Amino acid sequence: MPAPQPTLYPETVKFLEVIEEIKETNRLLKVEPKTNSGISNIIYPTDRTIFSKLKTGMRKRVPMDALAKLAIHFKIDMNYIFYDGFEINYFPEVLQDSTANNEVRIHVSDDHLRIINKNNYNALGLTIKLYEQMMTLLEQNRNLSESKKVKSE
């Protein structure tokens, strides 16, 4: 008879999903870190087996300092872990070629940011949406003032 699966908190499950997303994205882009060990060395170096302990239920909750370091280092919106309806939106800003250890800077266009940040509720998506609405209002205001100038002349 197989051992029963441990009951994991929803926050723990979502945290592990973020880790898997980072690993898959980094594997596809051929950048480091690509493994649990590499990621845990960055976000929780005191226990490099933290992910396996969370998966097996040996550890119940994700340490807050691991969450903070994950958010800061990988620039992940931590609302994903605590609220439904948020996307992970992981995209490394500085890539490091694992074969030559050279840093490669990436330029990201506004269209690419919209694709990356599909969720309109996170800060970047909301900022872009507000900026677009402001530009629309400015254009409407300019058209209105130009039409008034024509009438007054």
Side-chain angles (χ1 to χ4, degrees), residues 29-99:
L29 296 173
K30 297 182 176 133
V31 296
E32 295 295 331
K34 303 181 222 189
T35 62
N36 283 344
S37 178
I39 295 171
S40 65
N41 192 35
I42 293 169
I43 66 170
Y44 203 68
T46 57
D47 185 4
R48 293 179 60 157
T49 60
I50 184 74
F51 305 131
S52 60
K53 286 180 181 175
L54 287 168
K55 286 177 189 174
T56 60
M58 288 177 62
R59 187 166 191 141
K60 299 291 181 195
R61 300 260 186 204
V62 179
M64 286 306 288
D65 52 340
L67 278 175
K69 286 182 181 178
L70 178 74
I72 292 167
H73 184 82
F74 293 104
K75 294 174 180 47
I76 301 287
D77 184 357
M78 287 294 101
N79 285 320
Y80 171 78
I81 291 177
F82 301 107
Y83 302 105
D84 291 334
F86 281 85
E87 298 290 328
I88 294 174
N89 296 330
Y90 170 63
F91 186 77
E93 289 182 1
V94 177
L95 298 180
Q96 188 172 26
D97 184 2
S98 57
T99 57

Side-chain angles (χ1 to χ4, degrees), residues 127-139:
T127 302
I128 290 172
K129 190 171 183 178
L130 288 172
Y131 176 75
E132 289 172 343
Q133 289 176 348
M134 183 179 72
M135 293 308 288
T136 302
L137 288 172
L138 286 172
E139 185 65 30

Side-chain angles (χ1 to χ4, degrees), residues 17-20 22 29 38 46 50 52 59 62 64 80 107 116 118 121 126 139-141 147:
E17 287 174 3
V18 170
I19 299 302
E20 289 303 313
I22 290 170
L29 296 173
T46 57
I50 184 74
S52 60
R59 187 166 191 141
V62 179
M64 286 306 288
Y80 171 78
H107 173 70
I116 293 168
K118 294 176 235 169
Y121 299 106
L126 192 58
E139 185 65 30
Q140 290 172 351
N141 190 19
S147 68

